[in-house]
Amino acid sequence: TSCIKCVEGNRQITAALLEQKFDKIFFTGSPYVGKIIAEAAAKTLTPVVLELGGKSPCIVDKTANIAVSAQRVAWGALMSAG
């Protein structure tokens, strides 16, 4: 089985989460917190994906229509590009 859990929180929440064991960590947020997450993950060799400064994180799973998903993700990323 697979599980995706999205968690929002402050520094205390982040610190508590980083004490847990994960198969992979995806993080969207500031470079400052990204460095903290990367350092903690390195201690256990946990793979990490960091989207630093991003504004539109998304998850596309195996049930998604890829063509529709790609159009919607691109629209969301580019809608305020000028």
Side-chain angles (χ1 to χ4, degrees):
T1 61
S2 63
C3 176
I4 297 173
K5 182 74 173 178
C6 297
V7 179
E8 295 182 56
N10 56 22
R11 289 181 181 163
Q12 290 80 18
I13 299 292
T14 302
L17 283 170
L18 291 175
E19 293 174 3
Q20 308 303 309
K21 175 67 178 136
F22 293 97
D23 295 327
K24 186 175 281 190
I25 299 172
F26 288 84
F27 172 74
T28 298
S30 72
Y32 176 79
V33 177
K35 288 178 186 179
I36 294 169
I37 290 172
E39 182 179 336
K43 293 176 184 175
T44 58
L45 299 177
T46 303
V48 180
V49 175
L50 302 173
E51 182 189 4
L52 304 177
K55 66 175 184 65
S56 303
C58 64
I59 297 170
V60 179
D61 73 6
K62 63 184 176 184
T63 65
N65 179 313
I66 298 300
V68 172
S69 298
Q71 287 180 328
R72 291 177 179 172
V73 168
W75 181 86
L78 300 174
M79 71 178 236
S80 61

